[in-house]
Amino acid sequence: MKPIELRTIGDIVTEDYRAAQVFKKYHLDFCCKGNQTLKEIALKYHIDLQQLLKEIEAKQQLYPTKIFGFGSWPLDLLMQYIKDKHHKYIVERIPIIQQYLKKLGELYGTTNPELFDILELFTQTALELTLHMQKEKSLLFPQLKALSQNKYAQPNGIDTVEANLDHVIHMMWQEHRILMEGFHRMERLSDNFKAPDHGCSLYRITYSLLKEFEEDLMEHIHLENNSLFPNGHLLEKELISQKSPLD
C-alpha cells in the first residue's frame, strides 16, 4: 500500500472515515475533489503535511475503532445504506430547514438580508437534490444492481449496459459538483454557518442544521464518487472479461 501522503484524500476517507473530520476542519473537498493526494493538497493549500498526518493519527487514537470501510462493501449493501441513511435524512430535513430559514427571514431579513439568498439557494439545491435522488433510484441503482447480480438490465447485453452506466455515472458526477457548489455558496454567505451574536436560538439551530445537512451530503457524495462508482466500474470490467467472445 502507498504511504498515506501519496494516497488520494478520497481513498483515505473511503478506507477510514475518521480522516474526514480532519479534512472538514481544513475545508478540503474529499467527495467531489477526492482524486488529489494528501501531499498535493498540502502543497496546493499551504497546509503543513506533517500537521495533517498528526491530526489524522490523533483522530485514529481518539476513536480506536476504524469507522466503516465502505470501499470493501458489496454494491447492494452500499446502495441500501445510502438509501436508508442519506436519502431518508434528506427527505426529513429539507422541509424543517426551509421552514426555519423562512422564519429567520421574517425576523432578521432587514439586518441580515443574506438570509433570503441562503433560503433561495437552499430551496434550489433541495429541488436539485430531490431530482438527483429520483435518478439514483430509477437509473443508477438498477444498473448497479443488475451488475452485482451478474445480469444485464438491457436486452442488447453488456455493451448497452456499459454505455448506459458510463453516461449515468458521468451525469451523477456533474450533479454532485453542482450540489456542493450550492452549499459552498451558502457557507460563504453565512460565514461558515456561524450565527451572528445578535441571533436567537432559532438562528443557531438553523445554521447548525445547515452545517449538519452539508456534512451528510458530503458523506453521501463521497460514498458514491469514491466507492460506489469505481466499484461499479470494476465489476463491470470483470463481467466483460468473463464474457465469452462467442456470446
Side-chain angles (χ1 to χ4, degrees), residues 9-190:
I9 60 173
D11 283 345
I12 292 169
V13 175
T14 297
E15 175 65 22
D16 189 344
Y17 203 76
R18 289 173 295 187
Q21 298 176 55
V22 177
F23 298 149
K24 288 175 186 175
K25 174 185 172 183
Y26 290 95
H27 304 288
L28 301 176
D29 187 351
F30 57 83
C31 55
C32 291
K33 299 178 182 178
N35 60 343
Q36 302 171 89
T37 68
L38 192 62
K39 187 175 182 179
E40 289 170 340
I41 285 289
L43 286 171
K44 183 176 181 179
Y45 295 104
H46 308 290
I47 302 170
D48 188 324
L49 177 59
Q50 294 306 314
Q51 181 63 28
L52 278 175
L53 293 172
K54 284 180 184 178
E55 291 188 35
I56 292 171
E57 184 180 355
K59 290 296 182 185
Q60 292 170 340
Q61 291 176 352
L62 183 61
Y63 307 104
T65 302
K66 183 183 289 189
I67 302 179
F68 308 113
F70 295 114
S72 62
W73 285 24
L75 292 179
D76 279 351
L77 180 60
L78 190 52
M79 287 187 288
Q80 194 61 50
Y81 178 83
I82 289 169
K83 287 188 286 187
D84 290 345
K85 183 178 188 293
H86 297 292
H87 285 196
K88 183 179 179 182
Y89 173 88
I90 288 165
V91 171
E92 290 175 349
R93 281 290 190 271
I94 283 175
I96 295 172
I97 294 175
Q98 283 180 321
Q99 179 186 352
Y100 288 0
L101 282 172
K102 288 176 182 176
K103 186 63 178 177
L104 285 182
E106 294 171 5
L107 294 172
Y108 296 94
T110 304
T111 56
N112 297 85
E114 71 276 2
L115 286 167
F116 297 119
D117 294 328
I118 293 171
L119 172 59
E120 183 179 352
L121 273 170
F122 182 80
T123 300
Q124 181 60 33
T125 302
L127 175 60
E128 291 168 352
L129 185 52
T130 301
L131 294 173
H132 180 80
M133 289 192 300
Q134 291 172 0
K135 292 175 190 175
E136 287 183 349
K137 291 176 183 177
S138 62
L139 297 174
L140 176 65
F141 291 170
Q143 292 280 4
L144 293 175
K145 185 175 181 180
L147 285 174
S148 68
Q149 294 177 344
N150 199 13
K151 296 177 182 177
Y152 305 127
Q154 301 292 334
N156 295 331
I158 189 65
D159 295 332
T160 305
V161 173
E162 179 184 8
N164 286 349
L165 183 60
D166 287 345
H167 171 74
V168 171
I169 287 179
H170 178 73
M171 177 174 62
M172 296 288 110
W173 262 99
Q174 295 300 317
E175 292 182 4
H176 286 168
R177 180 181 57 78
I178 292 169
L179 289 167
M180 286 311 304
E181 283 177 357
F183 262 92
H184 291 332
R185 290 174 65 190
M186 284 183 258
E187 267 188 341
R188 292 191 292 271
L189 285 167
S190 63

Side-chain angles (χ1 to χ4, degrees), residues 174-234:
Q174 295 300 317
E175 292 182 4
H176 286 168
R177 180 181 57 78
I178 292 169
L179 289 167
M180 286 311 304
E181 283 177 357
F183 262 92
H184 291 332
R185 290 174 65 190
M186 284 183 258
E187 267 188 341
R188 292 191 292 271
L189 285 167
S190 63
D191 190 20
N192 196 28
F193 303 121
K194 180 183 177 183
D197 293 338
H198 63 268
C200 63
S201 58
L202 178 64
Y203 218 132
R204 293 189 292 275
I205 289 169
T206 304
Y207 273 15
S208 177
L209 286 174
L210 277 169
K211 189 172 183 63
E212 179 188 88
F213 194 99
E214 181 188 40
E215 289 177 352
D216 182 85
L217 183 60
M218 285 184 72
E219 181 185 324
H220 181 175
I221 292 174
H222 161 71
L223 290 178
E224 294 182 354
N225 284 359
N226 299 309
S227 291
L228 193 66
F229 298 165
N231 287 350
H233 277 311
L234 282 175

